[in-house]
Structures are given as C-alpha cells and as structure tokens.
Amino acid sequence: YMEVFMKNSKQHLTEAFAQLQDAQINLKHALDNSEKLNNKERIKSNLYLVNEAVNDVANTVANYQDSHDR
C-alpha cells in the first residue's frame, strides 16, 4: 500500500535531472545579472560544473535500464 507513494529510482533520477536544469537556468540568470568580474568568474565556473552534471545525468537517464530490462 505504501509503495504506491514511493518513488522508484528512475523517478528520483528524472527529478534530480529537472532540478539540475533549474539550477542551470538560475545560474545563467545570475551570470547575466552579476556586475563584479570576480562574481562573474565564480558563477561561470559553477555553471560549467552544472552543465557537465546536466550532460552526465541526461546520459544516465537515456541509458537507464529498468529492472525488467536485460
């Protein structure tokens, strides 16, 4: 009965992916709106890492094997 409300691994994964995409958008806005160069550089560095994470997780989602897959 409780299992109906529990997320499976793939649902957690796709939710994390959506949250990373939100972070990506927010960091882009932060970069566009920052004025100080040192802030811009740090945000750019964060954005690079989040972009990498988005790509990696997208790949994991695309290649995710459900329990019934071989």
Side-chain angles (χ1 to χ4, degrees), residues 12-59:
H12 282 294
L13 184 62
T14 55
E15 191 170 302
F17 183 54
Q19 290 169 342
L20 281 167
Q21 289 177 305
D22 285 345
Q24 196 177 35
I25 291 163
N26 284 315
L27 283 166
K28 285 176 184 169
H29 290 316
L31 185 60
D32 291 343
N33 293 310
S34 67
E35 293 171 8
K36 293 189 178 214
L37 188 61
N38 64 332
N39 291 339
K40 265 192 185 310
E41 289 306 314
R42 292 181 88 160
I43 294 168
K44 209 179 282 185
S45 162
N46 296 155
L47 185 55
Y48 175 81
L49 293 170
V50 171
N51 287 342
E52 292 286 296
V54 166
N55 291 336
D56 287 349
V57 175
N59 195 36

